[in-house]
Amino acid sequence: MEKARPLWANPLQFVFACISYAVGLGNVWRFPYLCQMYGGGSFLVPYIIMLVVEGMPLLYLELAVGQRMRQGSIGAWRTISPYLGGVGLASVVVSFFLSTYYNIINAWAFWYLFHSFQDPLPWSVCPLNSNRTGYDEECEKASSTQYFWYRKTLNISPSIQDSGGVQWEQGLCLLLAWLVVYLCILRGTESTGKVVYFTALLPYCVLIIYLVRGLTLHGATNGLAYMFTPKLEQLANPKAWINAATQIFFSLGLGFGSLIAFASYNQPSTDCQKHAIIVSLINSSTSIFASVVTFSIYGFKATFNYESCLNKVILLLTNSFDLEDGFLTASNLEQVKGYLASAFPGKYSEVLPQIRNCSLESELATAVQGTGLSFIVYTEAIKNMAASQLWSVLYFFMLLMLGIGSMLGNTAAILTPLTDSKVISSHLPKEAISGLVCLVNCVIGLVFTMEAGNYWFDIFNDYAATLPLLLIVLVEIVAVCYVFGLRRFESDLKAMTGRTLNWYWKAMWAGVSPLLIISLFVFYLSDYILTGTLQYQAWDASQGQLVTKDYPLYALAIIGLLVASSTMCIPLVALGTFIVRCLKRGDTPPVA
Amino acid sequence: MRQNNSITQEHTRRSKAKADGENAFKVRLSIRTALGDNAYAWDTNEEYLFKAMVAFSMRKVPNRETTEISHVLVCNVTQRVSFWFVVTDPLKNHTLPAVEVQTAIRMNRNRINGAFFLNDQTLEFLKIPSTLAPPTDPSVPIWIIIFGVIFCIVIVAVMLLILSGIRQRRRMSKGPTEVDDSEDKCENTITIENGIPCDPLDTKGGHINDAFMTEDERLTPL
């Protein structure tokens, strides 16, 4: 008796699941950084070109494979060719690594969310030092938001070698994050299908509220103007194109097996072409939308810092020369400086080293990405807004929704092959399998709550998924086009959905996309080889800033292991299947 | 004679109040920064009030209860507004030690600030550090309370879902053992939608003909 495969209750749930998975933290904290680094408005040109040439075809391919094979990644690729089960296994391994380290971000979001209910916000003021005469030294050297992130949240150690102990507060938040994820995936598509309505829609509500607030902030237009003025010379920079391609690739979450898993729960007659186009368009427009919000916040923060800097200079000059209070303003500052330099040259030269050159440009040019953007830069901007608790709660709630939405996809990529496998699902019910996966991930994730945990997080973030995914997707395209056969796949799709495959998709799958991926792969490899030893940014508490250090040997070994454990699955499984088949052929005598 | 005396008195006092004197303190006010349009002008009357506040602070120190306003000397008033002041003891003809003045001012800082509508940042006594307000530390950190609430809600929800899943499975294994086969997609979407492969009551007889399935049987109440 075959148990029916669970299905999405309606196609909308599937679309929301894909959107919720694809629209994640990378849209909020990586795209604005890339936009700023590679030419502002002109970065949109390579971005949109890559979306059409690389993003949509690859997304369509994964959804079509999942919908056609109606199995998780391992089963789907094994069906295409028995030697390619390794591709699915590599996807599962990469998803496993991703889900291990990704949920710590949700833990941090919970931590900040819980701390947002205080007045004043804990990251807006420095704590006092032991004899109450001044502020804590580390906090003075850095800023209060950096101090709260590096000391209170992470309690970071000076280098990756000093592991320190597990921080129980972070451990509790991680446990809560995994419980929430477990709650959402407990019942499979039945529960996931309902949760994705929230995780897909709520971030947009918050982004819209933030857009309105952001645009009305003082100085927001500075940031927007800075971002959107196109610097056309960046179009000639190959790095801009490469980064556009990588951003599209990783932002859509290709190669993890999540999209295959989601599509496998579809009705076979679903029009996945339409869905692929919709999801990729929504993903990219969310990135652009989020960067508008981010840049208005940047503009506000930069203007605020610039004005504080100016005020400090004004105060310094007023005090040193005993000028009338209120006489010096931002507009006459330069004039008065000139006058003072000529009238009191001796005293002026004494004061000169302390006068900082305040520049709005340099404040805007501080480009940050990743956790630094969300937990340091945004919190700094939020603490200066009116009703900062409200904005803080909204912001971290949005981060949580984005993070949990992506986690649902990650865990689906691991669970679908497990529940598909007859061996495992006959012994354990679905709830127990999900529970075990969550428990294992939670326990391993405690590594990231240690004092050196953030350094390990950076290792996983930079190396666990980047190179293996490129290889996996490359093998996927080659497998579908050349091993399975493009014509056979085309006729299968036609039989399934009733629509003929457009020539555009065929051209992209067979030619353009594989070439693009190969060039990305070559670029990444050469980049790693050329940089020599890998380095990381460590927090130096005595200086209150980040310093660059080299990875120790065992960390390099672990990086190598991370990359190898997923990529080696592909050839090893192929080899293993080949050997098993040879043995079987050797055992059974040929039938006449 | 008397006039001579007062002039020499004034002289000696001025020489004591010279800036950078060992026991002299510089004071800096930022009235316009603090009050904006409501800023008052700094004149001799405000100086008088200041001297009165300093004398008041000194009177609170044991052994110094007889300090008078005239014992406080102010000089070098600039446009900033900033000036130097010193507290003298005319009986012994010397200036009071800095440590005593410092302690007195620190203890009454709030009263002095209040008299001028200023705060520690806008009425600065250079060389006298202000005591920073201790942070309010609730006995139980707020975040743990919120964490506890959300944690309990999530655990309860997980338990409920697991228990209802177990109950469904027990009901399924007790009921008819036939399960719909996957070929009948239409029926699949309806029956699986609730997460339970519901067995309509009449499967025992044989295959169900969809066309004759009535509306209320399709929508099993569960």
Side-chain angles (χ1 to χ4, degrees), chain A residues 111 114-115 117 128 134 169 172 179 183 186-187 267 318-319 322-325 429 431, chain B residues 28 30-33 79-80 82 132-133 143 146-147 151 157 161 164-165 169 189:
Chain A
W111 170 262
F114 296 151
H115 277 86
F117 290 96
L128 302 177
E169 299 100 339
L172 278 181
L179 275 175
L183 179 65
L186 189 47
R187 288 287 195 80
Q267 293 262 31
T318 313
N319 287 345
D322 280 326
L323 305 166
E324 190 186 327
D325 184 30
E431 287 91 342
Chain B
R28 192 153 59 203
S30 313
I31 308 174
R32 190 148 319 146
T33 316
Q79 254 190 328
R80 170 64 183 81
S82 69
L132 298 163
W143 77 270
I146 305 176
F147 169 81
F151 192 77
L161 278 183
S164 68
R169 217 166 283 129
T189 31

mmCIF file of all heavy atoms in Angstrom, chain A residues 111 114-115 117 128 134 169 172 179 183 186-187 267 318-319 322-325 429 431, chain B residues 28 30-33 79-80 82 132-133 143 146-147 151 157 161 164-165 169 189:
data_model
loop_
_atom_site.group_PDB
_atom_site.id
_atom_site.type_symbol
_atom_site.label_atom_id
_atom_site.label_comp_id
_atom_site.label_asym_id
_atom_site.label_seq_id
_atom_site.Cartn_x
_atom_site.Cartn_y
_atom_site.Cartn_z
ATOM 1 N N TRP A 111 17.879 37.278 20.604
ATOM 2 C CA TRP A 111 18.576 37.975 21.694
ATOM 3 C C TRP A 111 18.326 39.478 21.616
ATOM 4 O O TRP A 111 17.958 40.121 22.601
ATOM 5 C CB TRP A 111 20.061 37.651 21.584
ATOM 6 C CG TRP A 111 20.982 38.432 22.441
ATOM 7 C CD1 TRP A 111 21.715 39.524 22.083
ATOM 8 C CD2 TRP A 111 21.325 38.185 23.799
ATOM 9 N NE1 TRP A 111 22.479 39.974 23.122
ATOM 10 C CE2 TRP A 111 22.268 39.156 24.195
ATOM 11 C CE3 TRP A 111 20.933 37.225 24.735
ATOM 12 C CZ2 TRP A 111 22.822 39.203 25.465
ATOM 13 C CZ3 TRP A 111 21.489 37.278 26.002
ATOM 14 C CH2 TRP A 111 22.416 38.262 26.351
ATOM 15 N N PHE A 114 14.617 40.355 22.307
ATOM 16 C CA PHE A 114 14.255 40.369 23.719
ATOM 17 C C PHE A 114 14.833 41.591 24.424
ATOM 18 O O PHE A 114 14.258 42.099 25.374
ATOM 19 C CB PHE A 114 14.731 39.089 24.419
ATOM 20 C CG PHE A 114 14.074 37.843 23.919
ATOM 21 C CD1 PHE A 114 14.736 36.636 23.956
ATOM 22 C CD2 PHE A 114 12.794 37.868 23.395
ATOM 23 C CE1 PHE A 114 14.136 35.478 23.498
ATOM 24 C CE2 PHE A 114 12.183 36.725 22.931
ATOM 25 C CZ PHE A 114 12.866 35.525 22.978
ATOM 26 N N HIS A 115 15.998 42.047 23.964
ATOM 27 C CA HIS A 115 16.598 43.203 24.607
ATOM 28 C C HIS A 115 16.012 44.514 24.122
ATOM 29 O O HIS A 115 16.401 45.569 24.607
ATOM 30 C CB HIS A 115 18.112 43.212 24.361
ATOM 31 C CG HIS A 115 18.859 42.347 25.319
ATOM 32 N ND1 HIS A 115 19.056 41.009 25.111
ATOM 33 C CD2 HIS A 115 19.434 42.636 26.500
ATOM 34 C CE1 HIS A 115 19.726 40.504 26.123
ATOM 35 N NE2 HIS A 115 19.968 41.466 26.993
ATOM 36 N N PHE A 117 13.055 45.494 24.523
ATOM 37 C CA PHE A 117 11.938 45.951 25.323
ATOM 38 C C PHE A 117 12.406 46.762 26.517
ATOM 39 O O PHE A 117 11.726 46.828 27.532
ATOM 40 C CB PHE A 117 11.107 44.749 25.788
ATOM 41 C CG PHE A 117 10.360 44.089 24.673
ATOM 42 C CD1 PHE A 117 10.883 42.993 24.031
ATOM 43 C CD2 PHE A 117 9.145 44.584 24.253
ATOM 44 C CE1 PHE A 117 10.203 42.387 22.987
ATOM 45 C CE2 PHE A 117 8.449 43.990 23.218
ATOM 46 C CZ PHE A 117 8.982 42.886 22.583
ATOM 47 N N LEU A 128 29.002 51.684 32.787
ATOM 48 C CA LEU A 128 30.016 52.416 33.547
ATOM 49 C C LEU A 128 31.148 51.495 33.926
ATOM 50 O O LEU A 128 30.963 50.290 34.035
ATOM 51 C CB LEU A 128 29.386 52.989 34.821
ATOM 52 C CG LEU A 128 28.195 53.916 34.586
ATOM 53 C CD1 LEU A 128 27.626 54.355 35.908
ATOM 54 C CD2 LEU A 128 28.623 55.107 33.759
ATOM 55 N N GLY A 134 33.699 56.903 34.849
ATOM 56 C CA GLY A 134 33.617 57.041 33.392
ATOM 57 C C GLY A 134 33.003 55.792 32.801
ATOM 58 O O GLY A 134 32.475 54.947 33.520
ATOM 59 N N GLU A 169 23.557 32.177 27.649
ATOM 60 C CA GLU A 169 22.464 32.993 27.119
ATOM 61 C C GLU A 169 22.254 32.714 25.637
ATOM 62 O O GLU A 169 21.113 32.552 25.171
ATOM 63 C CB GLU A 169 22.768 34.480 27.288
ATOM 64 C CG GLU A 169 22.943 34.930 28.718
ATOM 65 C CD GLU A 169 24.403 35.051 29.093
ATOM 66 O OE1 GLU A 169 25.239 34.414 28.407
ATOM 67 O OE2 GLU A 169 24.711 35.766 30.046
ATOM 68 N N LEU A 172 20.689 29.319 25.123
ATOM 69 C CA LEU A 172 19.241 29.313 25.317
ATOM 70 C C LEU A 172 18.519 29.860 24.091
ATOM 71 O O LEU A 172 17.502 29.308 23.648
ATOM 72 C CB LEU A 172 18.874 30.178 26.530
ATOM 73 C CG LEU A 172 19.011 29.511 27.890
ATOM 74 C CD1 LEU A 172 18.580 30.475 28.977
ATOM 75 C CD2 LEU A 172 18.173 28.247 27.960
ATOM 76 N N LEU A 179 13.630 25.213 18.499
ATOM 77 C CA LEU A 179 12.268 24.798 18.856
ATOM 78 C C LEU A 179 11.247 25.429 17.915
ATOM 79 O O LEU A 179 10.288 24.776 17.489
ATOM 80 C CB LEU A 179 11.954 25.207 20.297
ATOM 81 C CG LEU A 179 12.423 24.224 21.353
ATOM 82 C CD1 LEU A 179 12.164 24.783 22.739
ATOM 83 C CD2 LEU A 179 11.712 22.885 21.203
ATOM 84 N N LEU A 183 8.792 23.485 15.459
ATOM 85 C CA LEU A 183 7.349 23.704 15.473
ATOM 86 C C LEU A 183 6.814 23.897 14.055
ATOM 87 O O LEU A 183 5.741 23.414 13.711
ATOM 88 C CB LEU A 183 7.051 24.948 16.329
ATOM 89 C CG LEU A 183 5.602 25.373 16.466
ATOM 90 C CD1 LEU A 183 4.818 24.326 17.199
ATOM 91 C CD2 LEU A 183 5.520 26.700 17.206
ATOM 92 N N LEU A 186 7.252 20.432 11.930
ATOM 93 C CA LEU A 186 6.776 19.234 12.631
ATOM 94 C C LEU A 186 5.874 18.355 11.785
ATOM 95 O O LEU A 186 6.012 17.150 11.714
ATOM 96 C CB LEU A 186 6.025 19.721 13.875
ATOM 97 C CG LEU A 186 5.589 18.750 14.925
ATOM 98 C CD1 LEU A 186 6.687 17.819 15.271
ATOM 99 C CD2 LEU A 186 5.190 19.532 16.149
ATOM 100 N N ARG A 187 4.920 18.986 11.136
ATOM 101 C CA ARG A 187 3.939 18.212 10.403
ATOM 102 C C ARG A 187 4.195 18.205 8.898
ATOM 103 O O ARG A 187 3.273 17.940 8.140
ATOM 104 C CB ARG A 187 2.553 18.801 10.667
ATOM 105 C CG ARG A 187 2.042 18.525 12.060
ATOM 106 C CD ARG A 187 1.634 17.080 12.192
ATOM 107 N NE ARG A 187 0.828 16.861 13.369
ATOM 108 C CZ ARG A 187 -0.467 17.132 13.437
ATOM 109 N NH1 ARG A 187 -1.089 17.643 12.393
ATOM 110 N NH2 ARG A 187 -1.111 16.917 14.552
ATOM 111 N N GLN A 267 1.612 19.437 -7.336
ATOM 112 C CA GLN A 267 0.837 18.683 -8.316
ATOM 113 C C GLN A 267 1.658 18.645 -9.588
ATOM 114 O O GLN A 267 2.214 19.664 -9.983
ATOM 115 C CB GLN A 267 -0.464 19.431 -8.605
ATOM 116 C CG GLN A 267 -1.422 19.486 -7.457
ATOM 117 C CD GLN A 267 -2.471 18.414 -7.599
ATOM 118 O OE1 GLN A 267 -2.201 17.345 -8.148
ATOM 119 N NE2 GLN A 267 -3.653 18.694 -7.104
ATOM 120 N N THR A 318 35.124 76.343 20.489
ATOM 121 C CA THR A 318 34.472 77.274 21.404
ATOM 122 C C THR A 318 35.155 77.261 22.757
ATOM 123 O O THR A 318 35.373 78.308 23.369
ATOM 124 C CB THR A 318 32.990 76.902 21.574
ATOM 125 O OG1 THR A 318 32.421 76.662 20.307
ATOM 126 C CG2 THR A 318 32.227 77.996 22.283
ATOM 127 N N ASN A 319 35.496 76.045 23.239
ATOM 128 C CA ASN A 319 36.133 75.957 24.551
ATOM 129 C C ASN A 319 37.558 76.458 24.540
ATOM 130 O O ASN A 319 38.006 77.109 25.473
ATOM 131 C CB ASN A 319 36.099 74.507 25.047
ATOM 132 C CG ASN A 319 34.713 74.097 25.479
ATOM 133 O OD1 ASN A 319 33.852 74.926 25.682
ATOM 134 N ND2 ASN A 319 34.507 72.801 25.599
ATOM 135 N N ASP A 322 37.381 80.274 23.972
ATOM 136 C CA ASP A 322 36.390 80.986 24.793
ATOM 137 C C ASP A 322 35.493 81.879 23.953
ATOM 138 O O ASP A 322 35.210 83.025 24.307
ATOM 139 C CB ASP A 322 37.069 81.813 25.893
ATOM 140 C CG ASP A 322 37.458 80.930 27.076
ATOM 141 O OD1 ASP A 322 36.707 79.970 27.351
ATOM 142 O OD2 ASP A 322 38.501 81.177 27.691
ATOM 143 N N LEU A 323 35.046 81.368 22.819
ATOM 144 C CA LEU A 323 34.123 82.129 21.989
ATOM 145 C C LEU A 323 32.741 82.060 22.603
ATOM 146 O O LEU A 323 32.454 81.191 23.422
ATOM 147 C CB LEU A 323 34.075 81.529 20.581
ATOM 148 C CG LEU A 323 35.416 81.405 19.885
ATOM 149 C CD1 LEU A 323 35.279 80.504 18.683
ATOM 150 C CD2 LEU A 323 35.894 82.772 19.466
ATOM 151 N N GLU A 324 31.877 82.961 22.164
ATOM 152 C CA GLU A 324 30.532 82.968 22.729
ATOM 153 C C GLU A 324 29.801 81.689 22.338
ATOM 154 O O GLU A 324 29.878 81.211 21.215
ATOM 155 C CB GLU A 324 29.776 84.173 22.194
ATOM 156 C CG GLU A 324 28.457 84.402 22.904
ATOM 157 C CD GLU A 324 27.687 85.526 22.239
ATOM 158 O OE1 GLU A 324 28.351 86.443 21.737
ATOM 159 O OE2 GLU A 324 26.454 85.452 22.196
ATOM 160 N N ASP A 325 29.090 81.145 23.301
ATOM 161 C CA ASP A 325 28.336 79.920 23.079
ATOM 162 C C ASP A 325 27.275 80.156 22.016
ATOM 163 O O ASP A 325 26.486 81.080 22.097
ATOM 164 C CB ASP A 325 27.667 79.521 24.406
ATOM 165 C CG ASP A 325 26.932 78.212 24.289
ATOM 166 O OD1 ASP A 325 27.365 77.371 23.480
ATOM 167 O OD2 ASP A 325 25.934 78.025 24.997
ATOM 168 N N PRO A 429 8.418 7.770 12.900
ATOM 169 C CA PRO A 429 7.435 8.697 12.331
ATOM 170 C C PRO A 429 8.110 10.016 11.957
ATOM 171 O O PRO A 429 9.198 10.321 12.421
ATOM 172 C CB PRO A 429 6.441 8.899 13.478
ATOM 173 C CG PRO A 429 7.208 8.582 14.708
ATOM 174 C CD PRO A 429 8.220 7.556 14.332
ATOM 175 N N GLU A 431 7.573 13.035 12.811
ATOM 176 C CA GLU A 431 7.902 13.963 13.891
ATOM 177 C C GLU A 431 9.231 13.612 14.523
ATOM 178 O O GLU A 431 10.011 14.489 14.891
ATOM 179 C CB GLU A 431 6.810 13.941 14.976
ATOM 180 C CG GLU A 431 5.514 14.618 14.598
ATOM 181 C CD GLU A 431 4.538 13.645 13.965
ATOM 182 O OE1 GLU A 431 4.983 12.582 13.534
ATOM 183 O OE2 GLU A 431 3.355 13.963 13.900
ATOM 184 N N ARG B 28 32.604 76.476 33.168
ATOM 185 C CA ARG B 28 32.192 76.773 31.796
ATOM 186 C C ARG B 28 30.703 76.521 31.673
ATOM 187 O O ARG B 28 30.222 75.444 32.014
ATOM 188 C CB ARG B 28 32.962 75.866 30.850
ATOM 189 C CG ARG B 28 32.834 76.267 29.419
ATOM 190 C CD ARG B 28 34.032 75.842 28.622
ATOM 191 N NE ARG B 28 34.232 74.414 28.679
ATOM 192 C CZ ARG B 28 35.400 73.838 28.453
ATOM 193 N NH1 ARG B 28 36.454 74.562 28.212
ATOM 194 N NH2 ARG B 28 35.513 72.531 28.506
ATOM 195 N N SER B 30 27.258 76.568 29.093
ATOM 196 C CA SER B 30 26.771 76.598 27.708
ATOM 197 C C SER B 30 25.275 76.834 27.764
ATOM 198 O O SER B 30 24.472 75.928 27.573
ATOM 199 C CB SER B 30 27.062 75.264 27.016
ATOM 200 O OG SER B 30 28.388 74.869 27.256
ATOM 201 N N ILE B 31 24.916 78.088 28.014
ATOM 202 C CA ILE B 31 23.503 78.383 28.277
ATOM 203 C C ILE B 31 22.683 78.249 27.009
ATOM 204 O O ILE B 31 21.595 77.701 27.003
ATOM 205 C CB ILE B 31 23.342 79.792 28.868
ATOM 206 C CG1 ILE B 31 24.264 79.943 30.076
ATOM 207 C CG2 ILE B 31 21.905 80.035 29.259
ATOM 208 C CD1 ILE B 31 24.297 81.323 30.651
ATOM 209 N N ARG B 32 23.228 78.762 25.901
ATOM 210 C CA ARG B 32 22.435 78.723 24.679
ATOM 211 C C ARG B 32 22.239 77.290 24.197
ATOM 212 O O ARG B 32 21.184 76.947 23.681
ATOM 213 C CB ARG B 32 23.106 79.557 23.585
ATOM 214 C CG ARG B 32 22.186 79.723 22.400
ATOM 215 C CD ARG B 32 22.330 81.028 21.656
ATOM 216 N NE ARG B 32 22.507 82.187 22.451
ATOM 217 C CZ ARG B 32 23.251 83.215 22.056
ATOM 218 N NH1 ARG B 32 23.886 83.162 20.908
ATOM 219 N NH2 ARG B 32 23.376 84.273 22.813
ATOM 220 N N THR B 33 23.256 76.437 24.384
ATOM 221 C CA THR B 33 23.104 75.031 23.987
ATOM 222 C C THR B 33 22.002 74.358 24.785
ATOM 223 O O THR B 33 21.220 73.584 24.264
ATOM 224 C CB THR B 33 24.422 74.261 24.238
ATOM 225 O OG1 THR B 33 25.499 75.064 23.792
ATOM 226 C CG2 THR B 33 24.417 72.940 23.525
ATOM 227 N N GLN B 79 33.332 85.659 27.196
ATOM 228 C CA GLN B 79 32.068 85.639 26.481
ATOM 229 C C GLN B 79 31.472 84.244 26.381
ATOM 230 O O GLN B 79 30.301 84.085 26.052
ATOM 231 C CB GLN B 79 32.306 86.130 25.044
ATOM 232 C CG GLN B 79 31.802 87.517 24.789
ATOM 233 C CD GLN B 79 31.858 87.814 23.308
ATOM 234 O OE1 GLN B 79 32.741 87.324 22.605
ATOM 235 N NE2 GLN B 79 30.935 88.601 22.843
ATOM 236 N N ARG B 80 32.284 83.253 26.675
ATOM 237 C CA ARG B 80 31.977 81.852 26.400
ATOM 238 C C ARG B 80 30.665 81.355 26.995
ATOM 239 O O ARG B 80 29.963 80.582 26.347
ATOM 240 C CB ARG B 80 33.153 81.012 26.866
ATOM 241 C CG ARG B 80 32.979 79.494 26.900
ATOM 242 C CD ARG B 80 32.762 78.918 25.531
ATOM 243 N NE ARG B 80 32.531 77.479 25.592
ATOM 244 C CZ ARG B 80 31.364 76.915 25.889
ATOM 245 N NH1 ARG B 80 30.292 77.662 26.120
ATOM 246 N NH2 ARG B 80 31.232 75.614 25.945
ATOM 247 N N SER B 82 32.741 81.611 30.536
ATOM 248 C CA SER B 82 33.582 80.827 31.435
ATOM 249 C C SER B 82 34.286 81.791 32.377
ATOM 250 O O SER B 82 34.475 82.953 32.061
ATOM 251 C CB SER B 82 34.592 80.011 30.645
ATOM 252 O OG SER B 82 35.542 80.852 30.062
ATOM 253 N N LEU B 132 28.619 59.710 37.655
ATOM 254 C CA LEU B 132 27.642 59.259 36.673
ATOM 255 C C LEU B 132 26.546 58.468 37.360
ATOM 256 O O LEU B 132 26.797 57.763 38.332
ATOM 257 C CB LEU B 132 28.342 58.396 35.628
ATOM 258 C CG LEU B 132 29.400 59.186 34.871
ATOM 259 C CD1 LEU B 132 30.355 58.254 34.163
ATOM 260 C CD2 LEU B 132 28.734 60.101 33.871
ATOM 261 N N ALA B 133 25.360 58.593 36.850
ATOM 262 C CA ALA B 133 24.219 57.915 37.469
ATOM 263 C C ALA B 133 24.396 56.408 37.355
ATOM 264 O O ALA B 133 24.757 55.902 36.301
ATOM 265 C CB ALA B 133 22.933 58.340 36.776
ATOM 266 N N TRP B 143 15.035 40.578 29.600
ATOM 267 C CA TRP B 143 15.036 39.688 28.446
ATOM 268 C C TRP B 143 14.725 38.261 28.849
ATOM 269 O O TRP B 143 14.110 37.516 28.087
ATOM 270 C CB TRP B 143 16.363 39.779 27.694
ATOM 271 C CG TRP B 143 17.517 39.060 28.295
ATOM 272 C CD1 TRP B 143 18.412 39.540 29.198
ATOM 273 C CD2 TRP B 143 17.915 37.710 28.050
ATOM 274 N NE1 TRP B 143 19.331 38.586 29.505
ATOM 275 C CE2 TRP B 143 19.058 37.456 28.829
ATOM 276 C CE3 TRP B 143 17.406 36.690 27.227
ATOM 277 C CZ2 TRP B 143 19.706 36.225 28.823
ATOM 278 C CZ3 TRP B 143 18.063 35.471 27.227
ATOM 279 C CH2 TRP B 143 19.200 35.251 28.024
ATOM 280 N N ILE B 146 10.876 37.781 28.945
ATOM 281 C CA ILE B 146 10.264 37.642 27.631
ATOM 282 C C ILE B 146 10.651 36.303 27.017
ATOM 283 O O ILE B 146 9.824 35.602 26.418
ATOM 284 C CB ILE B 146 10.699 38.801 26.711
ATOM 285 C CG1 ILE B 146 10.385 40.115 27.380
ATOM 286 C CG2 ILE B 146 10.020 38.698 25.367
ATOM 287 C CD1 ILE B 146 10.843 41.307 26.619
ATOM 288 N N PHE B 147 11.930 35.927 27.193
ATOM 289 C CA PHE B 147 12.392 34.647 26.686
ATOM 290 C C PHE B 147 11.573 33.524 27.287
ATOM 291 O O PHE B 147 11.123 32.607 26.585
ATOM 292 C CB PHE B 147 13.879 34.473 27.029
ATOM 293 C CG PHE B 147 14.399 33.098 26.783
ATOM 294 C CD1 PHE B 147 14.771 32.700 25.522
ATOM 295 C CD2 PHE B 147 14.501 32.178 27.823
ATOM 296 C CE1 PHE B 147 15.255 31.428 25.286
ATOM 297 C CE2 PHE B 147 14.976 30.905 27.599
ATOM 298 C CZ PHE B 147 15.354 30.525 26.328
ATOM 299 N N PHE B 151 9.333 30.925 25.216
ATOM 300 C CA PHE B 151 9.786 29.542 25.296
ATOM 301 C C PHE B 151 8.640 28.640 25.714
ATOM 302 O O PHE B 151 8.400 27.585 25.107
ATOM 303 C CB PHE B 151 10.937 29.482 26.317
ATOM 304 C CG PHE B 151 11.688 28.199 26.318
ATOM 305 C CD1 PHE B 151 12.602 27.924 25.323
ATOM 306 C CD2 PHE B 151 11.498 27.256 27.315
ATOM 307 C CE1 PHE B 151 13.318 26.740 25.320
ATOM 308 C CE2 PHE B 151 12.214 26.073 27.320
ATOM 309 C CZ PHE B 151 13.112 25.803 26.326
ATOM 310 N N ALA B 157 2.977 24.591 22.257
ATOM 311 C CA ALA B 157 2.497 24.361 20.894
ATOM 312 C C ALA B 157 3.081 23.073 20.316
ATOM 313 O O ALA B 157 2.383 22.284 19.674
ATOM 314 C CB ALA B 157 2.871 25.555 20.007
ATOM 315 N N LEU B 161 0.977 19.732 19.093
ATOM 316 C CA LEU B 161 1.039 19.169 17.754
ATOM 317 C C LEU B 161 1.464 17.706 17.796
ATOM 318 O O LEU B 161 0.915 16.865 17.094
ATOM 319 C CB LEU B 161 2.014 19.977 16.885
ATOM 320 C CG LEU B 161 1.443 21.245 16.262
ATOM 321 C CD1 LEU B 161 2.480 21.903 15.376
ATOM 322 C CD2 LEU B 161 0.219 20.940 15.444
ATOM 323 N N SER B 164 -1.424 15.575 19.137
ATOM 324 C CA SER B 164 -2.520 15.386 18.193
ATOM 325 C C SER B 164 -2.090 14.471 17.065
ATOM 326 O O SER B 164 -2.895 13.697 16.536
ATOM 327 C CB SER B 164 -2.998 16.737 17.650
ATOM 328 O OG SER B 164 -2.011 17.317 16.840
ATOM 329 N N GLY B 165 -0.790 14.524 16.686
ATOM 330 C CA GLY B 165 -0.302 13.618 15.670
ATOM 331 C C GLY B 165 -0.376 12.167 16.132
ATOM 332 O O GLY B 165 -0.798 11.281 15.380
ATOM 333 N N ARG B 169 -2.710 9.113 14.583
ATOM 334 C CA ARG B 169 -2.141 7.857 14.116
ATOM 335 C C ARG B 169 -2.813 6.684 14.793
ATOM 336 O O ARG B 169 -3.087 5.655 14.175
ATOM 337 C CB ARG B 169 -0.632 7.840 14.362
ATOM 338 C CG ARG B 169 0.099 7.160 13.235
ATOM 339 C CD ARG B 169 1.575 7.414 13.271
ATOM 340 N NE ARG B 169 1.897 8.742 12.776
ATOM 341 C CZ ARG B 169 2.654 9.605 13.430
ATOM 342 N NH1 ARG B 169 3.167 9.291 14.582
ATOM 343 N NH2 ARG B 169 2.901 10.779 12.921
ATOM 344 N N THR B 189 -5.892 15.230 -2.985
ATOM 345 C CA THR B 189 -5.749 16.612 -2.504
ATOM 346 C C THR B 189 -6.777 16.932 -1.437
ATOM 347 O O THR B 189 -6.515 17.643 -0.493
ATOM 348 C CB THR B 189 -5.924 17.629 -3.643
ATOM 349 O OG1 THR B 189 -6.828 17.097 -4.594
ATOM 350 C CG2 THR B 189 -4.600 17.916 -4.301
#
